[in-house]
């Protein structure tokens, strides 16, 4: 089993819709989770972090964590074409490192 | 703003050449990382450094070495470049204790012919 798994997509949604991106992880001891966004040809940038069960909201983004089921989700409300990117889920490995999923490509059509 | 810079955006080298990729960060971060990113394989950690002169192998260290003589600078060395090292190389840094909050450089697209 991979340490972090994501559906590669692409996930296609119309402008204004809610995009739902999912990630599962194998280490039950993981305590923190991170979402990075990577535009085509660019490097990843951190957009959300979540440390406890439940929801965390930041603007149009909501991260949802369910430790019992070992999944973490990212919801993007009112999706915009500028949200089209690959979204990487990351989970700590050891004290200072991360392991990344392979990412889900999101396409938002006008 | 955190700034991580890499020495080259694009690099073309020949098989067998020794290749140096340099990364500099300006936020006094203790941790620095080298990743390579390939389609379908995602980001894979090559080496990690948690302090000056300290390093730790990542998931795919074979064929690579690193050097960290100063806190702000982390170099990746390909001792004898091979075609299977053609990839996007990304450097990142983070503060101690905040390993999840990594800041990435723009990347170096290396082609080995």
């Amino acid at each position: 089993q991979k340490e972090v798994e994501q559906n590669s997509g692409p996930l296609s949604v119309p402008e204004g819709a809610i995009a739902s991106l999912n990630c599962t992880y194998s280490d039950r001891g993981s305590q923190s989770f991170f979402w990075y966004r990577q535009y085509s040809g660019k490097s990843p940038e951190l957009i959300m972090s979540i440390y406890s069960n439940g929801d965390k909201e930041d603007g149009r983004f909501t991260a949802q964590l369910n430790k019992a089921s070992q999944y973490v989700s990212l919801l993007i409300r009112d999706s915009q074409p500028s949200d089209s990117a690959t979204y990487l889920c990351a989970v700590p490995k050891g004290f200072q490192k991360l392991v990344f999923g392979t990412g889900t490509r999101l396409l938002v059509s006008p | 703003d955190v700034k991580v810079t890499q020495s080259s955006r694009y690099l073309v080298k020949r098989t067998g050449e020794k290749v140096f990729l340099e990364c500099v960060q300006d936020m006094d971060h203790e941790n620095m990382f080298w990743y390579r990113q390939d389609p379908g394989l995602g980001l894979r950690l090559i080496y990690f450094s948690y302090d000056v002169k300290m390093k730790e192998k990542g998931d795919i260290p074979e064929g690579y070495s690193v050097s960290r003589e100063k806190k702000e600078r982390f170099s990746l060395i390909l001792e004898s470049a091979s075609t299977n090292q053609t990839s996007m190389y990304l450097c990142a840094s983070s503060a101690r204790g905040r390993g999840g909050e990594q800041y990435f450089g723009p990347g170096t697209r290396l082609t080995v012919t």
Side-chain angles (χ1 to χ4, degrees):
Chain A
Q1 185 184 2
K2 286 185 179 179
E3 293 173 277
V4 181
E5 292 204 64
Q6 297 181 257
N7 189 315
S8 60
L11 173 66
S12 295
V13 300
E15 184 174 356
I18 296 175
S20 178
L21 305 159
N22 299 314
C23 169
T24 58
Y25 59 93
S26 59
D27 183 0
R28 283 197 168 272
S30 296
Q31 296 295 317
S32 53
F33 305 86
F34 303 89
W35 284 99
Y36 284 75
R37 177 177 62 199
Q38 186 173 23
Y39 291 115
S40 180
K42 302 292 186 182
S43 54
E45 60 174 328
L46 179 66
I47 57 171
M48 285 286 281
S49 56
I50 186 166
Y51 299 92
S52 56
N53 263 344
D55 295 1
K56 178 183 177 183
E57 191 173 312
D58 184 1
R60 295 186 295 112
F61 296 92
T62 299
Q64 299 177 318
L65 174 59
N66 184 323
K67 287 187 179 180
S69 300
Q70 293 177 246
Y71 80 78
V72 56
S73 300
L74 180 70
L75 301 180
I76 305 174
R77 291 183 301 282
D78 188 24
S79 294
Q80 300 297 308
S82 59
D83 294 324
S84 297
T86 297
Y87 290 81
L88 306 173
C89 173
V91 175
K93 183 175 182 179
F95 183 53
Q96 304 279 4
K97 297 177 287 187
L98 286 176
V99 59
F100 289 85
T102 52
T104 297
R105 187 172 166 220
L106 173 66
L107 298 175
V108 182
S109 52
Chain B
D1 264 0
V2 176
K3 192 165 184 182
V4 181
T5 57
Q6 295 184 228
S7 49
S8 306
R9 289 302 306 273
Y10 300 93
L11 209 52
V12 180
K13 295 292 181 181
R14 294 196 180 276
T15 301
E17 278 194 83
K18 191 169 186 176
V19 181
F20 294 86
L21 303 181
E22 296 217 312
C23 174
V24 178
Q25 51 94 5
D26 67 358
M27 281 302 292
D28 202 35
H29 282 170
E30 289 79 13
N31 301 325
M32 295 188 76
F33 309 83
W34 275 107
Y35 295 92
R36 63 177 284 178
Q37 187 172 34
D38 302 287
L41 297 177
L43 275 166
R44 293 180 291 167
L45 182 65
I46 305 171
Y47 266 99
F48 160 57
S49 171
Y50 51 92
D51 206 343
V52 175
K53 297 189 185 296
M54 306 306 288
K55 62 185 178 185
E56 191 175 299
K57 290 180 181 178
D59 299 317
I60 51 164
E62 296 78 18
Y64 304 94
S65 61
V66 290
S67 173
R68 193 166 180 201
E69 296 296 319
K70 293 186 177 182
K71 190 175 185 179
E72 67 271 17
R73 190 178 298 267
F74 192 33
S75 300
L76 179 70
I77 303 147
L78 286 65
E79 297 290 344
S80 177
S82 65
T83 55
N84 63 12
Q85 293 178 310
T86 291
S87 186
M88 171 66 82
Y89 289 87
L90 289 159
C91 175
S93 72
S94 71
R96 180 168 292 140
R98 305 188 77 84
E101 298 173 12
Q102 296 187 12
Y103 296 85
F104 285 82
T108 296
R109 171 75 64 185
L110 173 66
T111 302
V112 183
T113 62

